[in-house]
Amino acid sequence: MYQFCIELQHVELSVAFPENPVIPSVYITAPSILSKCTDLVLDLSDSIGNTGRDWASIEIRVGGADPNISLVQDFLTNNYEISPPTPIPFHLLQSGYKYYFSVVLCNVFNG
């Protein structure tokens, strides 16, 4: 009869953040002028620094003088997906107003 034995070795290791974590850079691709019945696509796919993983968090803020700007913000907060980018429906955007978008992307290192 043969007997096989395995000796288990225990290894202790510490996990720490890297000394030089990757800092994200946000790049927004979007038209500067939009036709009245065209959905707006905010494409963030050229952004870098996600370390090969999904972004840990995505925050998009919109500003402008449109009295219904909160509808656009609510849509972005509750519906926007980065890939593929979720178009903002044209009926939420009012002709004659300028909209300003800011984006914060955080990676797993909270960068």
Side-chain angles (χ1 to χ4, degrees), residues 91-110:
H91 63 84
L92 295 178
L93 305 169
Q94 301 302 312
S95 182
Y97 289 101
K98 290 185 180 182
Y99 297 84
Y100 304 93
F101 297 91
S102 63
V103 177
V104 176
L105 300 174
C106 292
N107 59 27
V108 294
F109 303 116
N110 213 19

Side-chain angles (χ1 to χ4, degrees), residues 38-96:
T38 304
D39 295 341
L40 173 61
V41 176
L42 297 177
D43 186 353
L44 307 176
S45 64
D46 288 336
S47 299
I48 58 174
N50 62 343
T51 67
R53 300 177 176 113
D54 288 339
W55 291 104
S57 65
I58 302 167
E59 180 181 342
I60 303 176
R61 294 280 176 210
V62 60
D66 178 355
N68 295 319
I69 197 94
S70 63
L71 297 175
V72 179
Q73 184 63 62
D74 288 345
F75 177 85
L76 290 168
T77 301
N78 297 311
N79 301 291
Y80 185 82
E81 295 288 334
I82 196 168
S83 182
T86 308
I88 300 169
F90 70 88
H91 63 84
L92 295 178
L93 305 169
Q94 301 302 312
S95 182

